[in-house]
Amino acid sequence: MLTLEEFRELREQPSDPQAEQELINSIEQVYFSADSFDVVKYELEKLPPVLNLQELEAYRDKLKQQQAAVSKKVADLILEKQPAYVKELERVTSLQTGLQLAAVICTNGRRHLNIAKEGFTQASLGLLANQRKRQLLIGLLKSLRTIKTLQRTDVRLSEMLEEEDYPGAIQLCLECQKAASTFKHYSCISELNSKLQDTLEQIEEQLDVALSKICKNFDINHYTKVQQAYRLLGKTQTAMDQLHMHFTQAIHNTVFQVVLGYVELCAGNTDTKFQKLQYKDLCTHVTPDSYIPCLADLCKALWEVMLSYYRTMEWHEKHDNEDTASASEGNNMIGTEETNFDRGYIKKKLEHGLTRIWQDVQLKVKTYLLGTDLSIFKYDDFIFVLDIISRLMQVGEEFCGSKSEVLQESIRKQSVNYFKNYHRTRLDELRMFLENETWELCPVKSNFSILQLHEFKFMEQSRSPSVSPSKQPVSTSSKTVTLFEQYCSGGNPFEIQANHKDEETEDVLASNGYESDEQEKSAYQEYDSDSDVPEELKRDYVDEQTGDVPVKSVSRETLKSRKKSDYSLNKVNAPILTNTTLNVIRLVGKYMQMMNILKPIAFDVIHFMSQLFDYYLYAIYTFFGRNDSLESTGLGLSSSRLRTTLNRIQESLIDLEVSADPTATLTAAEERKEKVPSPHLSHLVVLTSGDTLYGLAERVVATESLVFLAEQFEFLQPHLDAVMPAVKKPFLQQFYSQTVSTASELRKPIYWIVAGKALDYEQMLLLMANVKWDVKEIMSQHNIYVDALLKEFEQFNRRLNEVSKRVRIPLPVSNILWEHCIRLANRTIVEGYANVKKCSNEGRALMQLDFQQFLMKLEKLTDIRPIPDKEFVETYIKAYYLTENDMERWIKEHREYSTKQLTNLVNVCLGSHINKKARQKLLAAIDDIDRPKR
């Protein structure tokens, strides 16, 4: 260590702070490691084996310099901290003086306390004795007051039970029992203890009665008190068992009392014999007049019971969540485990009770339904019964997720039986309507829709699935409100709603097919005007002409000429239907009502609906389209699908034997209940008059009403598909693809009959037979039969105009009529050419001239393009010029011509450019073609 003088000498020496800091930094770290470090040993161990005096002296000087630098640094630090050291030393001295003074004060205080203790000991013992006596007297007084309160407890308990404060009464009773056990050493308490036990049992009995009231009219406050009371008793599980027993009893008592009330009311006397009957027997005494009101009240009462159970479950779910939240904040694990066990038991009991209660409800309603034969009710009443049962099944599904198998099976059997009889009656009515139908137009408005009819009003509430989701109301995307949520606060889903059907009117009929007299007048003015083409005509031309038929540019002249073939401008484009069609549509609506209410019988209902359409289609075909000569034309007027459909309908639905043998009607009807006699056309409908184009107006109304009916079925297909069971959907698809879609195909055979008689084709053949075809020079004038044929078409056009004044002739119908007539005319021309015995090349040219003249004039009468069978005629004429080999190939490729026409072609060519040998060869080829047809 350096002395103070050495420190001062060091401080007085001139110094370079930077050099001193470098010396300090050059000191090895080992010197700063620990206080026990031996510097001498460390330096000696560092000496080399061979010592050098100069190096040692230099190293020593370096160490001295480092020591001096460290010493100077330490001296500077010591001198810098010296004032603080002096100040702290002064504080320590002052603190020592204060501690000495405190020691003196404490010594004096202890001495004085000892003096006071010795002086007051006797007085303190006296005070303590008096205090103990006081405490004993206070405890005795409290016990006497408690005993007095216990003696008066029974009065308070009675008051609390009258106020239905069951938790408070039980709490008070339990506290009294606990207090009584505390004072059981008093003789007056023993009798009170047994009395309290009797009171507690009485409270439990009243509590059970209060619990039974929950089953019919749930009250949250009342049930909360009851549950709190059972929880205080520690009998929450027992309470749940009792509650389910009460619900079962409530269901039985409720239905019995409702049915008993109606039976006694209808009996009109006070005879009590009905009260002794079993519920099953009691249901058989309900009269038909009171059956529906009784069923409605029965379902109302059962709804109240199920609603009470639903609200009971809601209460437990809510309080379970609250108890769970409060239990998570507490630390009583034993109490929490017991509570969780009780909660789990109650939850399972309630969930199991849902199915049990619903089964009881189903059995009671099923027993009621079986007590009366539902076939005695009218259709509307039966639908009302189904509506109530359907609503009840909806309640059951929302109540416990059950599909209501018991009710479904019961109501399905009765519904199918009822509906079979109802459908059979409706089919007979439909036959009667068809046989008395005169096929007059039923005037409806142009915006007519089946949704405007009363029978389809139910579809406005549950829109058809065909409506796109974007057009659905916004509210449909939100969560569906269940019946329990809807009527939880009040009301009843089985309230009988007032039937407003009679107050509503169906605004679907129009006057004479027009919306107004002004509209009718305007329509005729537009039709007769040649200077102004109505916009409606332009729209119709563009829209209806697109498709397979190519359309030329629409000029004013074209539109004017279009008036000659479009026979729908004189009336508004309202649907064409008859009263019978409207009745069928109404029937379909009624059938769909039943299907919508009771979906399990959807397949049966749709099957019966298909029979309505089948029978209507078959009747139209039988009345207007059946003609054995049609198939012999070879034109494919009836497609194979249409023929298959008609054969299927005839085999499965039409009772041909009954219609043929009226004497066997009774016996046959019993054997063939599923079939209906074939309808007969009314004698008032005349189809033989040429002036009316052989009943064209009636044919148009009948055929287009069928097409309209098919369109309505197409519109209803998404709705039917939505309710049809998956396993039965192939039937629905087959019905639409093979039956409904064939309705428009009946147009061809029906209008072919008109086209076959509208023109005098036989007269044209006679005129053609008088023409000389073996001319030697090319003619410039066409033959007279062409003018005669064109006059026939003009006459046909005028008759169409006359018919269109009675009935609107849609464009597809007029096109088919014109197509048929033109096709028959062209085939008659070919037949006339086939009758020619001799023909020259100039004669063939004359044939081409006649046909071109015919086409040129015909195109002014009609807008149909291309002209039907135009190639049929032209190809036959041109075949005359073919060589032997080419003609043989032509004969094999063109089998659309008859054997007679092909044979005549070969015979006419004989001698001109075909010899006899070639003729025999060609005739043999024709015979080979004809052989498979025989």
Side-chain angles (χ1 to χ4, degrees):
M1 293 292 294
L2 296 178
T3 61
L4 185 60
E5 293 179 358
E6 291 176 341
F7 286 154
R8 289 177 179 173
E9 289 178 1
L10 290 172
R11 289 181 58 85
E12 291 175 356
Q13 294 177 1
S15 61
D16 184 1
Q18 185 176 358
E20 290 177 355
Q21 186 63 37
E22 291 178 356
L23 285 173
I24 293 173
N25 293 338
S26 65
I27 298 174
E28 297 181 18
Q29 290 294 327
V30 71
Y31 284 95
F32 303 102
S33 60
D35 295 338
S36 61
F37 175 65
D38 190 350
V39 179
V40 177
K41 181 179 179 182
Y42 175 73
E43 292 296 337
L44 289 176
E45 289 176 351
K46 287 176 59 179
L47 291 176
V50 180
L51 300 177
N52 188 332
L53 181 59
Q54 291 180 355
E55 292 178 358
L56 289 176
E57 288 179 352
Y59 186 66
R60 184 193 61 185
D61 293 339
K62 179 182 177 182
L63 291 175
K64 282 185 177 183
Q65 290 175 0
Q66 290 177 348
Q67 183 185 15
V70 172
S71 299
K72 187 173 186 304
K73 185 70 174 179
V74 172
D76 290 341
L77 293 173
I78 290 174
L79 291 175
E80 183 180 349
K81 300 295 183 181
Q82 186 177 5
Y85 167 75
V86 173
K87 185 176 180 181
E88 188 66 23
L89 186 61
E90 290 176 354
R91 289 178 67 252
V92 171
T93 305
S94 174
L95 180 60
Q96 186 177 6
T97 304
L99 290 174
Q100 291 175 352
L101 180 60
V104 172
I105 293 172
C106 288
T107 303
N108 293 335
R110 287 183 178 180
R111 186 173 66 252
H112 288 95
L113 285 174
N114 288 333
I115 295 172
K117 180 181 178 181
E118 293 175 358
F120 290 100
T121 299
Q122 185 176 0
S124 299
L125 291 174
L127 288 173
L128 289 173
N130 291 333
Q131 179 65 21
R132 181 173 179 274
K133 186 183 293 184
R134 182 175 179 274
Q135 292 295 335
L136 289 173
L137 291 174
I138 290 174
L140 179 60
L141 181 61
K142 184 177 180 181
S143 298
L144 292 173
R145 287 175 177 172
T146 302
I147 292 172
K148 182 180 179 181
T149 302
L150 291 175
Q151 294 292 341
R152 298 178 178 177
T153 300
D154 56 342
V155 178
R156 178 55 186 158
L157 284 173
S158 300
E159 293 176 354
M160 297 178 77
L161 290 176
E162 291 179 0
E163 297 171 359
E164 295 186 346
D165 185 10
Y166 305 108
I170 293 175
Q171 184 70 34
L172 178 59
C173 191
L174 293 176
E175 290 177 357
C176 289
Q177 282 186 328
K178 184 177 181 180
S181 63
T182 304
F183 301 105
K184 62 184 178 181
H185 51 280
Y186 294 108
S187 58
C188 61
I189 293 300
S190 59
E191 182 181 351
L192 177 62
N193 200 8
S194 61
K195 186 177 180 181
L196 287 173
Q197 185 62 35
D198 295 338
T199 303
L200 188 61
E201 293 177 358
Q202 180 183 357
I203 292 175
E204 288 187 23
E205 293 176 359
Q206 293 194 22
L207 195 59
D208 188 61
V209 175
L211 186 65
S212 65
K213 295 179 181 179
I214 297 296
C215 300
K216 293 185 179 180
N217 187 16
F218 183 86
D219 182 80
I220 293 179
N221 296 328
H222 182 75
Y223 189 68
T224 302
K225 292 179 181 180
V226 173
Q227 281 297 320
Q228 289 176 352
Y230 274 111
R231 186 173 297 179
L232 290 173
L233 292 173
K235 296 183 177 181
T236 53
Q237 296 184 16
T238 304
M240 191 52 56
D241 295 338
Q242 287 294 109
L243 180 63
H244 281 80
M245 185 181 68
H246 288 314
F247 267 106
T248 302
Q249 190 65 29
I251 291 173
H252 175 76
N253 293 340
T254 298
V255 297
F256 187 86
Q257 290 300 324
V258 170
V259 177
L260 178 64
Y262 274 92
V263 170
E264 290 182 343
L265 179 65
C266 296
N269 54 47
T270 57
D271 193 352
T272 58
K273 66 176 182 179
F274 296 117
Q275 298 179 357
K276 300 177 182 179
L277 294 177
Q278 294 292 327
Y279 174 71
K280 180 179 180 181
D281 299 327
L282 188 65
C283 291
T284 60
H285 289 80
V286 179
T287 62
D289 293 338
S290 61
Y291 184 86
I292 293 179
C294 181
L295 177 61
D297 287 346
L298 193 67
C299 292
K300 284 184 196 176
L302 291 173
W303 159 262
E304 296 296 338
V305 176
M306 288 190 286
L307 178 62
S308 296
Y309 194 90
Y310 174 83
R311 297 185 66 184
T312 301
M313 289 193 67
E314 271 192 337
W315 186 94
H316 281 280
E317 289 177 1
K318 178 181 177 182
H319 284 75
D320 284 350
N321 295 332
E322 294 177 355
D323 293 344
T324 303
S326 60
S328 62
E329 299 175 359
N331 297 320
N332 188 355
M333 297 301 297
I334 298 176
T336 303
E337 290 178 359
E338 293 178 356
T339 303
N340 290 337
F341 178 78
D342 290 343
R343 190 183 301 120
Y345 177 85
I346 292 172
K347 183 178 180 180
K348 290 182 180 178
K349 191 75 175 177
L350 286 171
E351 290 175 352
H352 176 72
L354 284 171
T355 305
R356 179 182 171 184
I357 288 176
W358 176 235
Q359 289 295 331
D360 290 344
V361 170
Q362 287 188 90
L363 290 173
K364 296 299 181 184
V365 177
K366 176 184 176 183
T367 303
Y368 181 81
L369 292 174
L370 295 177
T372 303
D373 184 9
L374 298 182
S375 62
I376 64 175
F377 292 111
K378 295 181 180 179
Y379 178 82
D380 292 337
D381 293 336
F382 185 75
I383 287 292
F384 197 85
V385 171
L386 288 187
D387 191 27
I388 294 176
I389 300 303
S390 176
R391 181 61 62 92
L392 182 62
M393 289 192 292
Q394 181 185 354
V395 169
E397 187 171 350
E398 295 178 1
F399 184 68
C400 63
S402 171
K403 295 299 182 181
S404 311
E405 293 84 0
V406 176
L407 271 179
Q408 280 186 4
E409 186 61 25
S410 174
I411 199 65
R412 185 184 184 281
K413 289 181 180 178
Q414 297 198 57
S415 298
V416 171
N417 293 333
Y418 180 91
F419 200 62
K420 279 184 178 179
N421 297 329
Y422 179 80
H423 176 65
R424 175 65 198 190
T425 306
R426 300 290 80 76
L427 280 178
D428 291 336
E429 287 182 358
L430 177 58
R431 179 169 68 94
M432 181 186 68
F433 288 147
L434 289 169
E435 291 181 344
N436 290 277
E437 179 65 65
T438 57
W439 305 104
E440 294 290 338
L441 187 66
C442 177
V444 293
K445 292 191 174 182
S446 59
N447 62 346
F448 171 75
S449 169
I450 61 174
L451 297 179
Q452 298 170 350
L453 300 176
H454 291 305
E455 288 78 7
F456 291 91
K457 290 297 182 182
F458 72 95
M459 292 184 66
E460 295 182 354
Q461 301 172 358
S462 56
R463 295 294 299 167
S464 172
S466 61
V467 180
S468 62
S470 61
K471 296 182 181 180
Q472 292 285 357
V474 179
S475 59
T476 57
S477 60
S478 60
K479 182 180 178 182
T480 304
V481 179
T482 65
L483 293 174
F484 287 96
E485 294 171 344
Q486 183 179 355
Y487 295 100
C488 187
S489 58
N492 195 298
F494 297 98
E495 290 287 347
I496 299 179
Q497 301 295 330
N499 188 3
H500 300 292
K501 182 176 180 181
D502 295 336
E503 300 176 5
E504 300 176 358
T505 57
E506 291 180 343
D507 189 18
V508 297
L509 299 180
S511 175
N512 296 325
Y514 295 97
E515 306 286 340
S516 63
D517 295 337
E518 291 77 7
Q519 192 174 20
E520 180 178 6
K521 181 178 179 182
S522 174
Y524 275 107
Q525 288 175 349
E526 289 182 354
Y527 181 70
D528 293 335
S529 174
D530 290 332
S531 60
D532 187 22
V533 180
E535 290 297 324
E536 182 182 357
L537 174 60
K538 297 178 183 178
R539 290 197 304 271
D540 289 344
Y541 186 86
V542 174
D543 292 341
E544 296 181 36
Q545 282 288 333
T546 55
D548 297 333
V549 181
V551 183
K552 59 186 179 182
S553 60
V554 184
S555 64
R556 176 176 294 272
E557 293 300 323
T558 303
L559 289 175
K560 286 182 179 180
S561 64
R562 162 78 186 286
K563 295 179 184 179
K564 302 175 183 179
S565 58
D566 183 5
Y567 305 93
S568 60
L569 294 180
N570 59 333
K571 288 183 180 289
V572 179
N573 290 330
I576 297 178
L577 67 159
T578 66
N579 289 327
T580 304
T581 316
L582 206 57
N583 286 331
V584 172
I585 293 174
R586 291 185 186 276
L587 271 181
V588 170
K590 290 184 177 181
Y591 284 21
M592 291 186 64
Q593 284 180 19
M594 179 174 290
M595 179 178 61
N596 190 63
I597 292 172
L598 197 62
K599 292 181 176 59
I601 66 170
F603 171 72
D604 302 277
V605 176
I606 292 176
H607 174 66
F608 292 146
M609 284 173 56
S610 69
Q611 289 187 345
L612 293 177
F613 187 85
D614 288 347
Y615 195 71
Y616 194 88
L617 183 146
Y618 185 83
I620 301 299
Y621 170 75
T622 303
F623 293 166
F624 304 103
R626 176 175 287 175
N627 192 331
D628 297 334
S629 63
L630 286 180
E631 302 306 324
S632 62
T633 60
L635 298 178
L637 296 175
S638 298
S639 65
S640 60
R641 185 175 60 166
L642 178 59
R643 291 194 298 271
T644 302
T645 299
L646 292 170
N647 290 334
R648 176 190 60 79
I649 296 173
Q650 183 168 299
E651 292 174 2
S652 62
L653 187 62
I654 306 303
D655 189 356
L656 297 175
E657 295 184 16
V658 171
S659 60
D661 186 9
T663 59
T665 300
L666 264 154
T667 310
E670 290 297 326
E671 297 174 354
R672 295 178 292 273
K673 290 184 178 180
E674 301 298 328
K675 295 188 175 183
V676 189
S678 179
H680 300 283
L681 182 65
S682 172
H683 67 279
L684 298 177
V685 180
V686 180
L687 303 179
T688 56
S689 173
D691 295 335
T692 61
L693 276 179
Y694 305 95
L696 177 60
E698 289 79 4
R699 295 177 190 270
V700 169
V701 172
T703 309
E704 299 312 305
S705 68
L706 174 65
V707 174
F708 177 78
L709 185 61
E711 291 173 353
Q712 306 317 302
F713 269 82
E714 292 284 356
F715 171 74
L716 297 172
Q717 183 179 5
H719 187 85
L720 300 179
D721 189 66
V723 299
M724 189 69 152
V727 295
K728 300 294 185 181
K729 285 190 177 181
F731 167 80
L732 185 64
Q733 295 170 357
Q734 183 180 9
F735 167 66
Y736 272 93
S737 62
Q738 297 184 8
T739 304
V740 177
S741 60
T742 60
S744 59
E745 295 180 12
L746 272 181
R747 285 170 169 166
K748 284 190 175 182
I750 290 177
Y751 297 134
W752 178 267
I753 297 174
V754 176
K757 299 178 180 179
L759 278 69
D760 193 350
Y761 304 102
E762 294 296 331
Q763 179 64 26
M764 188 174 67
L765 287 175
L766 294 176
L767 292 175
M768 293 180 70
N770 296 327
V771 177
K772 184 177 181 182
W773 299 104
D774 55 347
V775 294
K776 300 301 181 180
E777 58 182 16
I778 297 178
M779 307 295 292
S780 60
Q781 180 66 30
H782 61 273
N783 287 299
I784 192 172
Y785 75 87
V786 177
D787 296 330
L789 180 58
L790 289 172
K791 286 182 180 180
E792 289 287 332
F793 274 104
E794 291 173 357
Q795 178 66 20
F796 172 71
N797 192 25
R798 287 193 294 271
R799 290 179 179 178
L800 276 182
N801 282 321
E802 292 298 322
V803 173
S804 66
K805 294 178 182 179
R806 289 180 53 197
V807 177
R808 176 175 65 88
I809 301 180
L811 183 62
V813 176
S814 64
N815 285 344
I816 289 176
L817 285 168
W818 276 96
E819 179 183 346
H820 283 343
C821 289
I822 294 171
R823 193 181 300 276
L824 282 170
N826 284 335
R827 289 182 177 266
T828 303
I829 291 174
V830 171
E831 187 66 22
Y833 293 161
N835 293 332
V836 175
K837 302 299 181 181
K838 294 180 181 181
C839 181
S840 62
N841 290 338
E842 292 78 6
R844 286 291 168 179
L846 181 58
M847 290 181 182
Q848 290 182 339
L849 175 64
D850 291 345
F851 187 63
Q852 292 302 320
Q853 177 70 17
F854 170 68
L855 291 178
M856 182 181 65
K857 297 292 185 180
L858 182 65
E859 287 178 351
K860 295 180 181 180
L861 293 176
T862 179
D863 291 320
I864 295 180
R865 302 292 185 275
I867 297 298
D869 282 352
K870 174 183 176 183
E871 293 78 6
F872 184 80
V873 181
E874 292 178 341
T875 303
Y876 187 80
I877 296 175
K878 294 175 181 178
Y880 176 81
Y881 303 103
L882 297 176
T883 62
E884 174 187 344
N885 294 332
D886 291 337
M887 181 169 290
E888 182 178 2
R889 185 172 59 254
W890 184 89
I891 289 173
K892 294 179 180 179
E893 292 176 353
H894 292 77
R895 301 191 177 188
E896 65 269 21
Y897 297 100
S898 66
T899 302
K900 173 191 172 184
Q901 293 168 351
L902 295 175
T903 303
N904 177 267
L905 181 63
V906 174
N907 291 332
V908 170
C909 293
L910 178 65
S912 59
H913 56 280
I914 294 179
N915 54 34
K916 291 184 178 181
K917 184 177 179 181
R919 173 177 174 272
Q920 294 300 324
K921 182 180 178 182
L922 293 175
L923 291 177
I926 295 172
D927 188 63
D928 291 340
I929 295 174
D930 186 55
R931 189 176 293 113
K933 299 180 182 178
R934 298 172 187 170

